[in-house]
Amino acid sequence: MTQSAQDYPGERLGLPREGVGSIGRVGRRVGALFVDYGAAYLISGFFAWDPLAILALFAAVQILFLPTLQGSPGHRLFGLRLVRADAAAGRVGGWVGLWRPVVRTALLIVVIPAVIWDADQRGLHDKVAGTVLVRS
């Protein structure tokens, strides 16, 4: 019997197994998504609940808050923060910049990249953007 390449999600990235700095698990991510999308839905009432307005508001919240607060309101409420994943440099952390939230949000809105995960429980949208959601 062979041993797996890693014992827990995030080990390859040098993240701890549990606690602060560990990979944000699925339950927290889904909860954060519901908060952010729910807020966008409620605000879209000013635009007659137009589906495009909901998506635009959701995207605006993501793009505004990811670089400024290291996470959307839902992320922060569920104890998550978005950081850079510089696997080549052997470190995780740092400001995500301005382009990463835009790319990540565009792929998140498409949905499919967000539901394709790797062994570290990172969605394709996070891999492309070079980010990782960790517990704060």
Side-chain angles (χ1 to χ4, degrees):
M1 185 173 201
T2 60
Q3 190 176 17
S4 66
Q6 65 180 16
D7 291 330
Y8 60 90
E11 182 179 22
R12 289 185 304 180
L13 299 170
L15 300 176
R17 180 184 299 266
E18 299 175 339
V20 175
S22 65
I23 290 285
R25 304 292 187 195
V26 177
R28 291 174 185 260
R29 291 172 182 232
V30 170
L33 180 65
F34 274 107
V35 167
D36 294 338
Y37 194 82
Y41 180 81
L42 290 174
I43 296 169
S44 75
F46 292 109
F47 304 99
W49 288 280
D50 180 9
L52 289 178
I54 297 170
L55 280 178
L57 288 165
F58 176 79
V61 165
Q62 298 297 309
I63 292 169
L64 175 68
F65 287 104
L66 290 178
T68 57
L69 297 179
Q70 287 188 316
S72 68
H75 290 148
R76 302 309 287 167
L77 185 65
F78 279 86
L80 298 170
R81 64 186 169 96
L82 188 73
V83 296
R84 287 183 13 206
D86 294 324
R91 60 185 170 88
V92 173
W95 186 55
V96 295
L98 298 175
W99 69 269
R100 284 181 178 87
V102 173
V103 169
R104 184 181 187 277
T105 301
L107 292 172
L108 183 61
I109 287 175
V110 176
V111 176
I112 299 300
V115 297
I116 299 173
W117 296 350
D118 67 1
D120 291 315
Q121 296 183 354
R122 290 174 62 207
L124 187 57
H125 64 302
D126 276 325
K127 289 186 71 79
V128 169
T131 58
V132 61
L133 261 176
V134 296
R135 292 181 59 188
S136 57

